[in-house]
Amino acid sequence: MSVFSEKLQDKFKHYLARYETRRSAILPILHEIQDEYGWIQPEHIESLEKEYGLAKVHVQEVVSFYSMYRTEKPRPYRIYFCDNIVCTLMGAEKTMEKIRKVMKSYEDKGLESPFSLEGVPCLGVCDGAPAMLVNKERYLRVDSEKVEEILMKYGA
Amino acid sequence: MNEQVTFKLNGKDVSVPKGWTVMEAARRENVSIPHFCWHPGLKIAGVCRFCMVEVVGRPKLEIACNLPVTEGLEINTKTDVVKDAHKWGLEFHLINHPLDCPICDQAGECKLQDYYMEVGKYKSQMTRPKILKPKALDVGSELVLDTERCILCSRCVRFEEEVTKTNALGIFSRGDRSIIGTYNEEKLKHNYQENQVDICPVGAFTSKRFRFKQRVWFLTQKESICPGCSTGCRISVHAKPQERRYFRIKPVLDKEVNGYWMCDIGRRTFEHHNLENRLDSASLVKRGNGELAALAEQLEASSPRDIALLVSAQYLNEEYQSFFEFFVKELGVQKVYQWREPTEKRDDFDNILLRGDRNANTQGLMGTLETFGLSRNARNEFDDCLKSKSKVVIALCPEITSGFPSLGTHLTQLAEMPFVSLWTCLIEATEIKGLENLIPMKSFFEKKGTTLNYNKVERKLESPYPSAVFGALDVSEAVSALRSEMRKMLGKD
């Protein structure tokens, strides 16, 4: 019995047939796993070897090379805040400070914050700076007041 | 077929078969091109960027390992631009290298050291601290890994992919944090681990067995044949003869037999050769008139029908020849038994090098038996020997015990026979009660002669080490000493 759903397995088969070498399919397969489970767990890597013959070492090489593959269980809402020049000039730092404060208020109450914050390079919407993503949702012109509203929406 | 291409190498015209790379051509011409990641037994990776050569008419230097020779190509390997490239290449390879040569086992056979002696920059411009990485990792039963010393040439990764097909090593992370490692700290489990030490151009992989034992430049090297199994890999034995001590075994290229590699079981076959494991001449004179004289007495007093020969397949062709010449031809002994491990799986093969027949010279023994009209198949006849009710048994003991788990039991059973003369190099024989007649033998690396491997490929052992113990004999020497003992006795009569 596979640890992967049948739908996922169909996708794997599609990718494995798509490239010249099976090893090339590791990249899109890992994306699918991450989309489905939120992160890549050791049992996924082991199952890829057992079920599809993709060597654990080869998968781990790819996972460790790209920093955007998650190898730890993520928080429910992951905030990617642009920290490049335009957003910084438009006050990104101040907004990020606000987000950190909200996150800390959870910890002060002894709770785990549902948010994680990460600075990322340009999101390609400089006209809407400062910009951020929450999971795959995009927000523009996020100042420190607006960010509070947005976080409320996610349960803060 | 066999089309030749001519190009200029450092101004000299050189012709090589079409399809060769500049690296291969230069090697044949004895022009050394410094390199780390290229290895003749592995596929081309082109990752170390160190084998830079100048191609006349092209703006940039190119790597020799991946540059096919084409007609009219002009290559320079010794010009200042090339040397400058090597200098900078080394500078980059050493940015995060710990420079711990004084405690590194690779020192003396390290390519980083060698090349730095030639074209080093000697003054680093780096002001940032080195990036620290995991050290002294236990990655397998034979290996220790220091990821700081590693230059990421990927030879070990390709070895795991191409030779052992185990895919156990990979390069994780990226940039200057890249490290070699196994998945989830798993250990390498195969029998070819120490080849990683050989192909590692730096000191990242070191051998657990050899680590911190000896500086390599104090070691003598002599070629021999691995006595570990019937493949018979060509090897180089590293030892300090003046101290009568063997330290390690490395493979020597033999395209017909072992290629570039050898197995870990084979590499362990030097241990029993050392002094503390050896039977020495003290036992030769244990009794008043000596062991050989005691054997001669027994032979003299027995009819050939009561004498049996028990022969293992770990001796050399010449030794078998003189052994059977004396006992079978001259004395007329008819009872000859093969001595083999009863549980052996003779036809096993791991599809790389190691064979189930753990005797170096089974084919040689078969061939010699045939010339004496005693031809038969390889099989264990130890029990037949026990049941033969012989009064005198002359036994050529196996010296490689790793593939012979029943040896201890066999020796105990032998000790119950009326008179056994055990010819052996192993000290263990002295621990068996009742084995009175022990003749100390030279070990495999201390003899001259020939062997036949499983495929009947003949190889010569030409440069023996002096024996680690005093008074050890090879079979031919023991036979002629025995012959003169017997003549002496006849003379007296």
Side-chain angles (χ1 to χ4, degrees):
Chain A
M1 185 62 194
S2 173
V3 300
F4 305 113
S5 67
E6 247 169 62
K7 206 172 139 208
L8 209 49
Q9 293 187 54
D10 285 342
K11 284 182 182 164
F12 292 173
K13 276 171 208 149
H14 164 69
Y15 291 127
L16 285 165
R18 188 158 99 179
Y19 304 99
E20 215 170 289
T21 63
R22 288 169 72 81
R23 210 172 153 180
S24 307
I26 292 175
L27 208 63
I29 284 177
L30 287 173
H31 276 302
E32 294 292 348
I33 294 175
Q34 179 151 305
D35 286 348
E36 176 102 5
Y37 301 97
W39 61 302
I40 291 153
Q41 299 162 36
E43 61 165 346
H44 296 149
I45 299 179
E46 279 149 30
S47 303
L48 284 180
E49 175 169 284
K50 250 179 263 156
E51 294 170 29
Y52 297 97
L54 297 167
K56 286 183 288 192
V57 159
H58 293 162
V59 178
Q60 182 66 20
E61 281 182 331
V62 177
V63 171
S64 64
F65 186 92
Y66 295 103
S67 55
M68 289 181 80
Y69 284 127
R70 286 185 290 273
T71 51
E72 275 164 16
K73 191 172 192 296
R75 303 281 166 90
Y77 306 112
R78 300 170 296 278
I79 303 169
Y80 304 104
F81 213 106
C82 173
D83 60 1
N84 274 196
I85 186 156
V86 178
C87 288
T88 304
L89 284 171
M90 298 303 286
E93 199 42 58
K94 218 171 135 197
T95 315
M96 283 164 81
E97 202 43 55
K98 181 77 197 177
I99 299 170
R100 279 189 205 106
K101 222 181 260 171
V102 173
M103 286 164 66
K104 192 161 180 298
S105 71
Y106 280 91
E107 280 157 38
D108 291 344
K109 282 182 246 165
L111 298 169
E112 192 183 69
S113 152
F115 302 106
S116 63
L117 176 65
E118 202 182 318
V120 293
C122 188
L123 296 173
V125 280
C126 301
D127 60 315
M132 72 170 187
L133 293 175
V134 179
N135 294 353
K136 288 187 171 176
E137 203 70 34
R138 188 177 69 181
Y139 296 92
L140 303 177
R141 285 178 276 278
V142 223
D143 56 24
S144 49
E145 278 152 41
K146 194 171 172 189
V147 81
E148 211 163 357
E149 280 170 39
I150 298 169
L151 296 188
M152 289 280 275
K153 210 172 82 184
Y154 289 102
Chain B
M1 286 303 282
N2 238 342
E3 200 181 324
Q4 295 280 313
V5 198
T6 308
F7 77 116
K8 268 199 165 62
L9 184 62
N10 293 335
K12 193 182 133 196
D13 279 331
V14 174
S15 289
V16 293
K18 196 176 176 180
W20 277 36
T21 61
V22 171
M23 179 69 92
E24 288 164 326
R27 254 166 76 94
R28 198 195 65 191
E29 295 299 307
N30 288 324
V31 172
S32 93
I33 296 177
H35 59 274
F36 291 111
C37 74
W38 185 80
H39 187 283
L42 300 173
K43 285 183 192 151
I44 297 166
V47 293
C48 75
R49 316 307 295 177
F50 203 62
C51 56
M52 291 288 188
V53 292
E54 187 186 358
V55 187
V56 175
R58 293 190 198 170
K60 285 184 183 173
L61 300 183
E62 297 191 20
I63 50 172
C65 68
N66 203 20
L67 178 64
V69 172
T70 46
E71 194 67 37
L73 204 65
E74 277 184 57
I75 300 289
N76 291 319
T77 68
K78 306 276 179 211
T79 46
D80 287 344
V81 245
V82 175
K83 277 189 189 152
D84 203 44
H86 290 157
K87 198 179 275 188
W88 283 104
L90 281 174
E91 173 83 352
F92 280 116
H93 278 312
L94 288 174
I95 283 177
N96 289 314
H97 188 85
L99 293 175
D100 55 349
C101 311
I103 58 151
C104 178
D105 282 288
Q106 191 81 359
E109 48 187 13
C110 173
K111 290 202 160 187
L112 267 182
Q113 269 189 338
D114 296 350
Y115 296 148
Y116 213 73
M117 288 297 287
E118 280 175 33
V119 290
K121 256 175 65 67
Y122 290 97
K123 245 188 194 162
S124 172
Q125 302 183 21
M126 291 302 291
T127 51
R128 301 191 51 156
K130 287 177 187 275
I131 288 174
L132 304 180
K133 292 178 185 176
K135 293 175 84 74
L137 298 175
D138 179 359
V139 286
S141 56
E142 312 297 317
L143 295 175
V144 177
L145 171 62
D146 182 324
T147 56
E148 282 185 349
R149 290 180 187 156
C150 173
I151 58 161
L152 299 169
C153 71
S154 80
R155 277 183 178 185
C156 55
V157 176
R158 282 174 282 150
F159 182 85
E160 293 286 321
E161 270 179 45
E162 296 166 22
V163 182
T164 59
K165 305 197 165 54
T166 41
N167 284 323
L169 288 168
I171 300 177
F172 303 132
S173 294
R174 100 187 98 108
D176 55 11
R177 278 171 192 76
S178 305
I179 54 165
I180 295 279
T182 56
Y183 176 78
N184 198 17
E185 287 169 32
E186 286 174 3
K187 307 260 188 284
L188 300 195
K189 289 195 190 80
H190 56 73
N191 183 28
Y192 292 83
Q193 296 176 27
E194 281 205 61
N195 291 301
Q196 300 285 21
V197 180
D198 294 346
I199 61 174
C200 182
V202 297
F205 279 107
T206 47
S207 151
K208 273 189 192 163
R209 202 172 304 115
F210 184 68
R211 239 161 105 79
F212 308 137
K213 289 280 194 318
Q214 195 54 240
R215 279 308 193 185
V216 295
W217 52 85
F218 293 129
L219 296 174
T220 308
Q221 303 181 15
K222 287 184 173 196
E223 272 192 28
S224 189
I225 299 297
C226 176
C229 81
S230 61
T231 298
C233 297
R234 188 184 288 249
I235 56 168
S236 166
V237 183
H238 297 217
K240 280 174 104 170
Q242 66 277 28
E243 288 178 17
R244 293 162 183 277
R245 182 146 287 280
Y246 299 95
F247 282 93
R248 63 175 180 182
I249 295 174
K250 283 192 175 255
V252 173
L253 173 64
D254 188 329
K255 289 210 165 129
E256 222 178 314
V257 181
N258 55 306
Y260 297 92
W261 322 118
M262 75 178 289
C263 76
D264 294 337
I265 288 177
R267 296 198 198 234
R268 267 175 239 139
T269 55
F270 72 90
E271 280 158 347
H272 73 279
H273 298 264
N274 280 328
L275 195 57
E276 65 274 16
N277 301 323
R278 292 289 293 278
L279 180 67
D280 65 11
S281 59
S283 61
L284 255 189
V285 288
K286 208 159 58 185
R287 291 188 222 161
N289 53 356
E291 300 285 287
L292 279 168
L295 172 58
E297 244 169 58
Q298 291 288 335
L299 291 175
E300 196 53 46
S302 315
S303 123
R305 270 177 294 130
D306 295 328
I307 303 173
L309 308 176
L310 182 61
V311 190
S312 71
Q314 301 190 358
Y315 290 81
L316 307 179
N317 294 346
E318 292 71 9
E319 293 183 294
Y320 289 135
Q321 185 67 32
S322 48
F323 190 73
F324 294 129
E325 185 79 36
F326 178 68
F327 286 106
V328 177
K329 270 245 173 84
E330 291 177 30
L331 298 187
V333 176
Q334 285 305 310
K335 293 195 277 191
V336 180
Y337 302 100
Q338 294 178 62
W339 190 2
R340 304 181 68 90
E341 168 57 36
T343 62
E344 77 175 342
K345 297 197 170 65
R346 198 161 43 249
D347 299 324
D348 273 12
F349 181 45
D350 68 354
N351 287 319
I352 305 177
L353 290 171
L354 183 69
R355 282 171 198 279
D357 180 358
R358 299 297 174 78
N359 300 286
N361 202 15
T362 298
Q363 291 295 345
L365 175 58
M366 294 304 123
T368 318
L369 284 174
E370 206 177 312
T371 56
F372 285 90
L374 298 159
S375 84
R376 67 190 77 182
N377 295 325
R379 66 184 201 93
N380 178 41
E381 296 162 338
F382 182 79
D383 290 339
D384 302 336
C385 177
L386 282 187
K387 285 181 216 135
S388 70
K389 303 217 171 77
S390 306
K391 286 181 187 142
V392 180
V393 176
I394 298 104
L396 290 185
C397 184
E399 65 173 77
I400 307 296
T401 53
S402 62
F404 215 118
S406 310
L407 185 61
T409 326
H410 280 184
L411 290 180
T412 321
Q413 286 171 313
L414 272 183
E416 284 158 17
M417 297 191 75
F419 183 90
V420 174
S421 175
L422 187 72
W423 298 21
T424 183
C425 64
L426 303 172
I427 189 78
E428 284 99 313
T430 58
E431 289 157 16
I432 312 275
K433 267 189 206 149
L435 276 181
E436 289 292 320
N437 195 281
L438 301 175
I439 313 292
M441 288 284 119
K442 286 181 178 171
S443 71
F444 219 77
F445 306 148
E446 302 165 352
K447 299 188 280 201
K448 266 191 180 183
T450 50
T451 62
L452 288 182
N453 83 349
Y454 74 98
N455 202 18
K456 298 192 179 168
V457 175
E458 188 180 87
R459 286 288 177 264
K460 281 196 170 67
L461 293 99
E462 286 175 308
S463 45
Y465 277 105
S467 181
V469 289
F470 292 103
L473 307 167
D474 65 29
V475 173
S476 313
E477 288 164 347
V479 162
S480 57
L482 188 59
R483 192 182 278 127
S484 61
E485 285 290 344
M486 290 187 74
R487 285 209 186 112
K488 241 192 286 174
M489 275 172 28
L490 288 174
K492 266 181 212 160
D493 290 344

